[in-house]
Amino acid sequence: PTTEPAGPLTNLVPELRGIIESTLAAYAKALESQDAALLAQARPDLSPAEREELLAPLRGALNVATDLRVLDIIQEGKTVVVPVLRTDVVVGGRGRPRPPVEETLRFEWRAGVWVLRQGR
């Protein structure tokens, strides 16, 4: 059996780790497919203008690949702060190469489940 290298997600409770991983997977898929509706589902914590700002440089691209790396897990009571480094690789289209961007996702323990916190 192979063991995964230690990282920020290694010692999290399975429920929290699962919601972080599924949120990041949906976020990457939305960007890679340039799908505004999917992005709204994956990142409801962003305003419509913020989501449009993310998608605009990707429109018309032949191929988009998004890499999301969890940098840390910071527990603050019933909130977990997850700094993430996002790197987009865009082939074709009108976008210029962009440097990686650090973003922060916040998850809250609400009604017995972890959820992505709405708003800032």
Side-chain angles (χ1 to χ4, degrees):
T2 60
T3 58
E4 75 175 283
L9 299 175
T10 302
N11 295 317
L12 290 181
V13 295
E15 297 82 8
L16 178 56
R17 182 178 179 147
I19 191 68
I20 292 170
E21 288 176 338
S22 65
T23 297
L24 293 177
Y27 182 28
K29 182 178 180 182
L31 292 174
E32 291 171 351
S33 63
Q34 304 160 45
D35 186 323
L38 188 57
L39 184 56
Q41 289 176 353
R43 292 294 310 270
D45 58 319
L46 299 176
S47 71
E50 289 170 316
R51 291 192 295 267
E52 176 56 31
E53 188 176 314
L54 283 170
L55 291 174
L58 308 177
R59 289 211 171 81
L62 299 172
N63 191 14
V64 177
T66 298
D67 180 63
L68 297 163
R69 304 272 171 152
V70 174
L71 301 175
D72 200 2
I73 301 291
I74 305 156
Q75 183 121 23
E76 299 173 345
K78 293 185 177 207
T79 300
V80 173
V81 178
V82 182
V84 174
L85 187 66
R86 187 188 86 238
T87 305
D88 298 313
V89 177
V90 181
V91 177
R94 61 180 186 254
R96 293 187 308 257
R98 298 183 297 176
V101 176
E102 191 170 326
E103 300 179 28
T104 301
L105 285 79
R106 289 175 172 76
F107 295 87
E108 289 181 328
W109 181 252
R110 225 184 299 150
V113 295
W114 288 101
V115 296
L116 186 61
R117 186 167 87 187
Q118 305 296 307
R120 299 286 164 182

